[in-house]
Amino acid sequence: MIDRYIFLEFFLPFLFSLGLFLSITVFGFVVFNLIDMMIRYGLAISLVLKLFIYSIPEMLFYSIPMSVLLASILSAGRLYRDNEIIIFQNCGVSNKRLFLPVFIFVIFLTILSLVFNYFVVSKSNFELSKANFLAYTKKNMPIHKQNIFYKEFDNNSLKRSFYAREFTNNIMYNPTVEEFENNFLTKIIHAEKSELKDNNWLFNKGYLYVIENGEIKTSLKFDKYSFPFMQTLDKVANEIRSPKEMNYTELKEHIKFLKKSGEKTANMEVQLYQKISIPFVSIVFFLIGIPLGLNKKSKNSSFAYTFSLFFIFVYYICLFSFTALGSIELVNPFLSAWIPNILVLIILLFSIKNNRL
């Protein structure tokens, strides 16, 4: 009975906070931009709705941790102001036990955020990119990306991997193709560029290597070499995405291949680790929010809103700063993704312990 009561004390403020932050982010980053686009480019209502819908998942993803922080302060503060905390303590219920159902719910939210980001956010971001391009140019988004990666499987076995420095419509620059049999590398093709002609890829000025037992057995230099794979660009286009348009597994494989090709991947690695670290900040916010709600200053309800907004601002400043540092390799990419979580937790727990908040 107590668990249900405490859970509802948190859950209702959480729903309110989620609606509040989602409204702020949607109106601040989406709606006003859509209104401007409608006026400038005369967008159809159907396209505006599509842009709006595809924008929501990412806004929701970032709103969940912020909502956990505000709801934690509000719920704990309300119990503290009405002296219910003292009543529960006199009944032998510690604060840790009292807020255990909320902590379990926050862990569930963290897992839900990870799954939501993996299956929904990455796909919606990709669709949003295509819809934005259509809105600005009145054309479907062309296939033009740098450092693209593609894999082809046959019965769950890797058949072929492909990398190109740049892919512009029907032309690939510095393409490298690896052929596999029974998951063993058998052939490598590398060229200056390749063009799609007559349903075949025509490689220009490159080398063909035949691999046996992990060693190069044959090396052939060619001016032109025809190869009948990836006859249409539709499937390849679906694989060409920015880091935020790929889920964790796709981005991890993409980085792995780029490293083999000698490309720098620090920026992508930071974004890879942030796909895990950002959902986990909900737990950090909960661990900070409950003690702050039980602080004497929380008797003033405006404290919860003021501190939440201030702390969220500070957290994202740290997040963006370490993202930049990790991207230029001044900080390890893994650490740059997790340091904001750890840093603010240490600072605030230290401040709470010393009654500075």
Side-chain angles (χ1 to χ4, degrees), residues 50-198:
K50 184 182 292 187
L51 288 166
F52 180 79
I53 292 172
Y54 287 142
S55 299
I56 297 299
E58 187 174 24
M59 300 296 103
L60 181 59
F61 175 71
Y62 285 105
S63 295
I64 290 176
M66 296 186 289
S67 303
V68 168
L69 175 62
L70 180 56
S72 297
I73 300 176
L74 286 174
S75 58
R78 209 284 300 169
L79 292 171
Y80 180 76
R81 286 193 304 273
D82 294 345
N83 296 319
E84 293 184 36
I85 292 293
I86 296 176
I87 295 174
F88 284 121
Q89 289 175 345
N90 291 336
C91 293
V93 182
S94 66
N95 288 343
K96 291 182 180 179
R97 176 61 186 86
L98 190 64
F99 292 103
L100 179 61
V102 179
F103 182 61
I104 293 173
F105 177 67
V106 172
I107 293 176
F108 168 76
L109 282 177
T110 300
I111 297 172
L112 183 64
S113 295
L114 289 168
V115 174
F116 182 69
N117 186 44
Y118 188 94
F119 289 104
V120 179
V121 177
S122 56
K123 291 182 180 179
S124 68
N125 284 339
F126 183 54
E127 294 300 325
L128 179 62
S129 295
K130 294 194 293 186
N132 269 318
F133 188 89
L134 178 62
Y136 283 115
T137 66
K138 309 298 183 182
K139 299 178 182 178
N140 290 324
M141 187 168 65
I143 302 172
H144 177 83
K145 293 281 183 172
Q146 293 183 335
N147 298 322
I148 67 163
F149 175 55
Y150 169 81
K151 277 188 175 182
E152 184 179 343
F153 291 87
D154 184 16
N155 295 325
N156 295 323
S157 295
L158 181 61
K159 180 181 178 182
R160 182 178 297 113
S161 68
F162 158 75
Y163 167 79
R165 177 180 57 80
E166 184 178 349
F167 192 5
T168 303
N169 292 327
N170 291 346
I171 301 177
M172 301 184 290
Y173 296 92
N174 296 124
T176 299
V177 179
E178 296 179 336
E179 291 279 300
F180 295 84
E181 290 185 8
N182 298 321
N183 290 320
F184 288 99
L185 182 62
T186 59
K187 185 186 298 183
I188 298 176
I189 303 172
H190 179 75
E192 291 185 3
K193 70 176 183 178
S194 181
E195 299 179 71
L196 182 63
K197 291 186 177 181
D198 300 325

Side-chain angles (χ1 to χ4, degrees), residues 1-18:
M1 194 70 179
I2 294 177
D3 288 347
R4 181 181 178 185
Y5 177 75
I6 297 300
F7 173 75
L8 289 177
E9 282 295 315
F10 173 84
F11 186 66
L12 295 179
F14 171 75
L15 290 181
F16 166 76
S17 303
L18 187 62

Side-chain angles (χ1 to χ4, degrees), residues 33 71 79 85 99 107 158 210 244 287 320 323 332:
N33 182 52
L79 292 171
I85 292 293
F99 292 103
I107 293 176
L158 181 61
V210 177
K244 74 173 187 176
L287 294 175
F320 296 145
T323 298
N332 178 274

Side-chain angles (χ1 to χ4, degrees), residues 276-306:
I276 305 296
S277 66
I278 291 177
F280 268 89
V281 80
S282 293
I283 297 176
V284 177
F285 282 178
F286 167 79
L287 294 175
I288 292 171
I290 295 299
L292 286 173
L294 299 178
N295 188 281
K296 61 182 180 180
K297 289 186 179 181
S298 64
K299 287 186 177 181
N300 183 356
S301 59
S302 63
F303 171 81
Y305 297 97
T306 303

Side-chain angles (χ1 to χ4, degrees), residues 122 241-247 251 254 267-268 271-272 275:
S122 56
R241 305 183 182 187
S242 67
K244 74 173 187 176
E245 296 165 0
M246 292 186 277
N247 61 37
L251 183 54
H254 186 58
N267 180 49
M268 293 184 179
Q271 296 182 67
L272 174 72
K275 291 180 183 290

